[in-house]
Amino acid sequence: ETLKLKGNDCYQNALYQDAIRYYSQAIALNPDEGTYYGNRAASWLMLNEFNQAINDCNSGLKYEKVIGDLDKLRLRKITCYIQIGKLD
């Protein structure tokens, strides 16, 4: 959780590469926490790395415990598809 919080701080300060690094470390320690993938996806999105963000959204959604808990990931994924022209 500490790594996620450090990532959040970096994200809020527009340090997206650093945020990705912290979220990646958090995922390595707790790979079944879907929100970590979602946070990293948000950082990828801010860097216009839409395919990376889609991959993280897909990974995170695998760990959704209750349907609807990770709807932010679905919204990010839709945003990415729009950005790459796969959804109008």
Side-chain angles (χ1 to χ4, degrees):
E1 189 69 19
T2 300
L3 292 167
K4 179 190 145 198
L5 295 175
K6 287 181 179 181
N8 291 351
D9 186 53
C10 290
Y11 182 88
Q12 290 169 357
N13 288 292
L15 301 170
Y16 304 118
Q17 291 286 359
D18 291 335
I20 288 167
R21 184 170 42 87
Y22 283 117
Y23 295 138
S24 295
Q25 291 174 12
I27 289 167
L29 293 175
N30 194 358
D32 60 345
E33 182 54 59
T35 58
Y36 295 170
Y37 295 92
N39 290 352
R40 189 170 68 182
S43 297
W44 286 124
L45 185 59
M46 296 306 291
L47 294 171
N48 296 325
E49 295 288 345
F50 304 117
N51 289 317
Q52 292 282 64
I54 290 168
N55 289 338
D56 271 349
C57 289
N58 288 335
S59 295
L61 287 168
K62 292 177 188 176
Y63 301 107
E64 185 174 46
K65 294 169 181 71
V66 176
I67 293 179
D69 279 355
L70 297 176
D71 279 347
K72 283 184 181 180
L73 276 70
R74 289 180 180 84
L75 293 173
R76 288 184 185 125
K77 190 173 167 182
I78 290 167
T79 300
C80 290
Y81 281 130
I82 290 169
Q83 291 297 318
I84 62 175
K86 289 193 173 183
L87 194 65
D88 294 324

